[in-house]
Amino acid sequence: MSSQQKQSATRAAGTPAAPEPTGPRPARLSAAAALTAVEGLALAALGAYMLIMGLAGSPDSAQQAEMGGLTVLALAVLPLVAARGLWLRRRWSRGPSLITQIVALPVAWTLVNGGGALIAAGVGLAVAALVVLVLLVNPTATEALGIGPRETP
């Protein structure tokens, strides 16, 4: 067993589990959870649409459309699970939500460069992603999730 593993085991044995956050859920955390859930629902709707059109429509490649729909449905799970975790004030949920927002920014850029109605969709996605990022790095939200400053050894 390495010294790092021994230190981790000692810390785990010597420190109690992190207490559950108490008090009301801050509005910032509720807003971040709601926006993350909306993003997840939008992805799920897009995936379902792609899957249905792959099965019932006449795509160039039905297999490719169906696989794309299933992939988007699978990708929708991450923001939906993260949104639920944020709503329940689980500290682990902040990471997946932040990752979802960071990944959404290049997607928004691609949509904006697509032209037409995609510009509005891209701008909306970018605004939502930036708002959630700001809400989740806010000290009020981090404290509500039980994430505090790191202790120096």
Side-chain angles (χ1 to χ4, degrees):
M1 182 181 274
S2 72
S3 63
Q4 190 175 23
Q5 289 173 331
K6 288 178 186 175
Q7 288 176 351
S8 296
T10 304
R11 283 188 205 141
T15 57
E20 290 293 319
T22 58
R25 182 184 318 103
R28 294 168 196 235
L29 192 57
S30 298
L35 282 171
T36 303
V38 167
E39 290 171 343
L41 290 173
L43 270 175
L46 177 63
Y49 174 77
M50 289 173 65
L51 187 60
I52 290 168
M53 293 310 292
L55 294 171
S58 57
D60 293 337
S61 170
Q63 183 180 9
Q64 197 172 21
E66 292 163 9
M67 190 52 102
L70 288 174
T71 302
V72 173
L73 280 172
L75 290 173
V77 171
L78 181 65
L80 291 172
V81 169
R84 184 174 187 276
L86 289 173
W87 188 260
L88 297 175
R89 296 172 66 176
R90 304 291 191 253
R91 69 185 302 168
W92 58 261
S93 62
R94 183 173 177 248
S97 185
L98 288 172
I99 290 168
T100 299
Q101 307 318 313
I102 292 168
V103 169
L105 292 173
V107 173
W109 179 258
T110 303
L111 289 173
V112 167
N113 289 330
L118 295 177
I119 293 173
V123 169
L125 179 59
V127 168
L130 290 172
V131 166
V132 173
L133 283 170
V134 168
L135 290 172
L136 288 178
V137 298
N138 186 285
T140 305
T142 56
E143 288 172 14
L145 291 171
I147 302 169
R150 292 185 180 201
E151 297 178 13
T152 56

